Amino acid sequence: MKDKRRILFVNDEMRMGGVARVLNTLMSQLDTEKYEIDCLVLHKRGMLLDEIPDYVHVIEGTPFFNTVDEPLMELIKRLDIGRICSKIRLLFYMKTGLIKKKIGIERNKIIKKPYDVEVAAKEGFCTIFTAFGDSKKKINWVLTDYSVCNYSKRHMKIVKESLEFIDLNIADSKQALEAYEKVFGIKREKGISIHNLMDVDRIKQNAKDSHDINIKSDNLNVIAVARFHPQKSLERLLYAHKYAIEKGYNHSLFLIGGGETEPRLRTIVKENNLTNVLFLGYKLNPYADIAACDLFVLSSLYEGFATIVNESLISGTPVLSTKVSGIQEQLTEVEYGWIVENNQQALNIGYVEAIKNPEKLAKMKENLQAYHYPNEKILQEFMEVL
């Protein structure tokens, strides 16, 4: 019997979010007869640790990496002296270039076998960690639009040096790939785009579950699922909701998620007396709630390939989205939803356009019952490069 290919996926954390969920989906769909799969979580935390497949061996990073996913300013706000010192130490290694040698030292503590393929599951620090390891093939997974937000802008020298050791960059949309190539000067032959895999069967099954939100049958119901983070710009969604209410389009807006911008969002709701906005917190299964609603809204400033858009379509709910990377590769048919320019005014107008015709939304939901996501093709594309 032919030996299995050993694959190591490297991620910084497994908190609720698109990156961790997409990683879990890919690991769950790889053929265990062909691949031996390990997953290194540098800072081992997050709700989605529990969703890593049982046959995946999970490796925990050393304490050196415990602040890799935590911004220094957030630690300062919390007055967490110990972690502030740890973060400053990490940043010192990054700025001086000593991180290259340090990664080798830390890898020797936790990695006990060679790998045929190592995948940095999130571009940035994971890229650096993978680049300065000794796996035979090194892949970097790009999941955001670097033309809009360059997460590596303070560490361009070390990231560019790291990318010299990466064999292939996989971006989740064509626009994200083009942006990454331009920002980092990557040769075209070292990059490809592959859309994110979806756990279609699980989404469809979960969408059939009973929802636990107060859906008003005599009212339109709109939903958003996101990390409450500046990138997702949920403030704009609240103002679009307010604009529609003022135009006479009464409806409910449900927000699933949580995060750093939640206090600001709740303040906007309170100050503007938006009584039909409901915060539902984090949910491992948001799909039943999405399926119960009439419209899903993505109000992001930037994305790479927003998996939640296709998850909404699989759940049978049309989408209104700002014009972000990947969206034109996702909302490819008029019955799937609307794309608006990425500003407040366009979102306001598009929001009203979407909710002013309940009959049209109902027809779109009916048509989406036949929606097909090409998972088989995407999985094959991944297997060809692993």
Side-chain angles (χ1 to χ4, degrees):
M1 182 177 177
K2 187 177 178 180
D3 290 339
K4 296 180 181 180
R5 282 178 67 76
R6 289 177 171 175
I7 300 179
L8 175 66
F9 291 97
V10 180
N11 200 18
D12 55 356
E13 44 81 11
M14 295 297 289
R15 288 176 293 178
M16 186 67 69
V19 174
R21 192 173 288 285
V22 167
L23 172 58
N24 281 345
T25 300
L26 175 57
M27 293 191 296
S28 72
Q29 297 193 33
L30 291 176
D31 188 347
T32 56
E33 294 296 317
K34 295 181 179 180
Y35 303 107
E36 179 182 318
I37 308 167
D38 291 356
C39 181
L40 167 60
V41 185
L42 293 172
H43 183 193
K44 191 180 176 184
R45 66 168 180 167
M47 295 173 66
L48 293 181
L49 282 169
D50 294 336
E51 292 192 8
I52 294 176
D54 293 339
Y55 50 78
V56 173
H57 174 55
V58 179
I59 305 169
E60 182 174 0
T62 66
F64 176 77
F65 301 111
N66 279 354
T67 58
V68 67
D69 58 323
E70 296 187 288
L72 178 59
M73 292 310 298
E74 288 188 17
L75 296 174
I76 291 173
K77 288 178 183 177
R78 300 205 309 256
L79 297 177
D80 191 332
I81 303 302
R83 299 185 83 81
I84 290 171
C85 292
S86 295
K87 186 68 176 183
I88 291 174
R89 182 183 181 215
L90 176 61
L91 292 174
F92 170 78
Y93 275 95
M94 294 277 284
K95 287 294 185 183
T96 60
L98 293 172
I99 192 67
K100 293 179 285 185
K101 183 177 180 180
K102 183 63 173 174
I103 281 174
I105 294 171
E106 299 303 311
R107 286 178 69 101
N108 286 336
K109 296 177 183 177
I110 53 179
I111 295 179
K112 304 301 181 183
K113 60 186 177 185
Y115 291 95
D116 298 294
V117 184
E118 184 169 336
V119 181
K122 185 188 296 182
E123 75 290 332
F125 189 85
C126 296
T127 311
I128 301 169
F129 183 93
T130 293
F132 295 110
D134 55 4
S135 297
K136 294 178 183 178
K137 183 176 184 179
K138 301 170 184 178
I139 294 175
N140 183 40
W141 205 351
V142 181
L143 298 163
T144 197
D145 182 354
Y146 271 69
S147 68
V148 181
C149 183
N150 181 356
Y151 286 112
S152 300
K153 62 184 178 182
R154 294 184 177 88
H155 306 288
M156 289 293 286
K157 182 179 178 181
I158 188 65
V159 172
K160 283 187 173 183
E161 186 177 348
S162 301
L163 288 168
E164 293 294 322
F165 297 94
I166 295 294
D167 299 295
L168 183 65
N169 298 279
I170 302 176
D172 52 4
S173 71
K174 293 176 182 177
Q175 186 176 334
L177 176 61
E178 291 170 0
Y180 201 74
E181 289 175 338
K182 184 176 181 180
V183 169
F184 294 101
I186 296 170
K187 296 178 181 178
R188 185 63 56 89
E189 61 268 21
K190 291 184 71 173
I192 60 173
S193 67
I194 304 177
H195 289 169
N196 294 333
L197 278 166
M198 304 288 170
D199 193 343
V200 174
D201 292 339
R202 180 179 66 88
I203 294 169
K204 286 185 174 181
Q205 186 60 46
N206 287 349
K208 295 177 182 178
D209 287 350
S210 299
H211 63 82
D212 59 0
I213 56 177
N214 184 22
I215 293 293
K216 299 178 181 179
S217 59
D218 60 342
N219 202 10
L220 271 176
N221 299 278
V222 180
I223 192 167
V225 180
R227 287 182 300 118
F228 292 179
H229 181 276
Q231 173 193 350
K232 304 302 180 179
S233 197
L234 290 167
E235 295 90 341
R236 295 197 298 183
L237 175 55
L238 292 177
Y239 288 125
H241 169 78
K242 177 186 176 185
Y243 177 82
I245 292 291
E246 291 173 346
K247 291 288 183 181
Y249 297 100
N250 195 33
H251 64 288
S252 296
L253 173 61
F254 300 98
L255 301 179
I256 293 180
E260 63 192 85
T261 64
E262 184 167 345
R264 171 61 179 155
L265 298 177
R266 289 187 177 274
T267 296
I268 293 172
V269 168
K270 183 177 180 179
E271 289 179 347
N272 291 276
N273 194 30
L274 302 178
T275 56
N276 282 343
V277 175
L278 295 98
F279 292 84
L280 305 179
Y282 282 112
K283 291 192 174 189
L284 284 174
N285 173 23
Y287 308 115
D289 297 337
I290 293 173
C293 288
D294 303 288
L295 178 70
F296 181 94
V297 180
L298 184 86
S299 56
S300 296
L301 296 171
Y302 57 92
E303 292 285 349
F305 182 94
T307 56
I308 192 64
V309 167
N310 291 98
E311 289 173 335
S312 180
L313 300 179
I314 293 167
S315 300
T317 299
V319 173
L320 167 68
S321 175
T322 49
K323 194 174 183 180
V324 292
S325 174
I327 197 64
Q328 291 171 301
E329 300 170 42
Q330 298 173 278
L331 296 182
T332 57
E333 304 293 340
V334 293
E335 63 264 28
Y336 294 173
W338 298 262
I339 302 172
V340 298
E341 292 299 321
N342 203 333
N343 59 68
Q344 184 70 65
Q345 182 180 11
L347 182 60
N348 290 352
I349 295 171
Y351 193 90
V352 168
E353 178 66 26
I355 68 172
K356 72 179 184 181
N357 190 337
E359 292 77 16
K360 183 176 181 179
L361 281 172
K363 183 63 176 176
M364 293 170 77
K365 282 182 69 70
E366 181 181 336
N367 291 338
L368 280 170
Q369 297 306 307
Y371 173 76
H372 173 72
Y373 188 76
N375 242 24
E376 301 83 0
K377 174 178 177 293
I378 295 169
L379 180 59
Q380 183 60 39
E381 290 174 341
F382 272 111
M383 291 177 65
E384 287 173 0
V385 300
L386 290 177

